[in-house]
Amino acid sequence: MKVLVPVKRVVDANVKVRVKPDQSDVDTANLKMALNPFCEIAVEEAVRLKDAGIVSEVVVVTIGNKASQEQLRTAMALGADRGIQVDTEQQLVPLSVAKLLKAVQDKEQAGLIILGKQSIDGDNNQTGQMLAALMDAPQATFASEIKVEGERLTVTREVDGGLQTLTMPMPAVVTADLRLNEPRYAKLPDIMKAKRKPLDVMTEADLGVTLKTHQQVLKVTPPAARQAGVMVESVAALVDKLKNEAKVI
């Protein structure tokens, strides 16, 4: 069985993000970029399935410019077998990303697609669900455990009330939650091997997909600075402020 893992290039989670002076977008110039943390978890899960002998091939795909090949190589250093870059300079919304991934899936015919539940830049948590809808395939979001049993998939997912277990046929779409696993660190020999693994570059035209503009960003602003706290002299004064000023009790 083949597993397809979409990944995304994002600003490193430890870097403070800046807004461009014209407020048109986030300023990514000279910032450290990284593999989206939830995508890293998805790659790790696919590689573990391969290590267990359940999966025969792990294919990673990203949508972005040439710089995003760095994240594909990172995923291949973690254990993916080959990569696909859908080349574009556009900042795509989740629906456009899902359409391109659907076209890639039509070519690859993977039995399982594992995505991160969301990217840490857009935080939309939409792409996996939209992809499943376009494929007319079963889906399980916020997965904390994945088991493949023959032609069926059992997924434990995290919900507001606790845990929910779903069983479904494949091909299926699964989005990975934080507690699914702990990604491994890439070893130097694996990083060197990743440079020689195959990486294909495609375009929207190659995939036969025509994208439309669904929304427009009007302005990007940083969050308001947090106000300084107030020291109180006693518990009674704290309770008074919580009750009469903050009105939370």
Side-chain angles (χ1 to χ4, degrees):
M1 183 179 71
K2 182 191 301 183
V3 175
L4 184 67
V5 185
V7 298
K8 188 176 183 181
R9 174 183 172 90
V10 298
V11 176
D12 189 278
N14 298 311
V15 174
K16 184 177 181 180
V17 177
R18 305 185 304 267
V19 174
K20 291 182 177 179
D22 62 0
Q23 296 185 323
S24 62
D25 203 350
V26 172
D27 186 2
T28 58
N30 301 316
L31 290 185
K32 181 182 178 182
M33 307 297 285
L35 186 63
N36 179 55
F38 289 105
C39 298
E40 196 172 2
I41 293 170
V43 172
E44 173 67 24
E45 190 65 21
V47 173
R48 290 188 184 190
L49 290 172
K50 182 186 174 185
D51 291 343
I54 299 170
V55 168
S56 58
E57 185 181 28
V58 177
V59 182
V60 287
V61 55
T62 194
I63 300 171
N65 57 23
K66 188 175 181 179
S68 62
Q69 291 184 12
E70 177 187 355
Q71 278 62 52
L72 286 177
R73 295 295 181 190
T74 298
M76 287 189 277
L78 294 174
D81 297 293
R82 59 185 175 92
I84 299 172
Q85 177 209 352
V86 181
D87 190 32
T88 181
E89 294 289 342
Q90 301 181 61
Q91 295 289 334
L92 300 178
V93 297
L95 180 57
S96 297
V97 173
K99 288 179 178 179
L100 290 171
L101 294 178
K102 165 67 163 55
V104 173
Q105 166 62 5
D106 289 342
K107 288 180 175 289
E108 294 294 328
Q109 294 295 304
L112 176 61
I113 302 176
I114 308 178
L115 309 84
K117 70 171 184 177
Q118 64 194 71
S119 61
I120 62 171
D121 51 3
D123 272 337
N124 291 302
N125 181 22
Q126 295 175 339
T127 303
Q129 293 89 326
M130 290 179 172
L131 175 59
L134 292 173
M135 291 173 54
D136 193 23
Q139 63 172 305
T141 56
F142 315 125
S144 60
E145 185 179 6
I146 298 175
K147 292 182 180 179
V148 178
E149 300 166 334
E151 296 296 321
R152 298 190 69 80
L153 185 71
T154 301
V155 179
T156 301
R157 57 188 302 265
E158 299 188 357
V159 296
D160 291 341
L163 299 176
Q164 180 185 49
T165 301
L166 302 176
T167 302
M168 65 196 70
M170 295 185 289
V173 177
V174 176
T175 68
D177 210 333
L178 188 65
R179 281 160 288 279
L180 181 59
N181 60 55
E182 184 175 344
R184 69 192 69 188
Y185 289 99
K187 300 176 182 177
L188 182 59
D190 294 329
I191 295 173
M192 301 306 294
K193 290 178 184 177
K195 295 180 179 180
R196 299 190 297 271
K197 290 183 178 180
L199 194 160
D200 298 325
V201 180
M202 302 179 180
T203 64
E204 299 169 19
D206 295 334
L207 295 171
V209 177
T210 302
L211 301 178
K212 299 178 181 178
T213 301
H214 298 278
Q215 62 190 47
Q216 180 183 1
V217 177
L218 301 179
K219 185 170 63 173
V220 178
T221 58
R226 179 179 294 181
Q227 296 181 353
V230 177
M231 297 293 293
V232 294
E233 297 179 354
S234 65
V235 174
L238 174 61
V239 172
D240 180 69
K241 285 185 176 293
L242 291 174
K243 182 176 182 179
N244 299 313
E245 294 184 18
K247 298 188 184 300
V248 294
I249 59 174

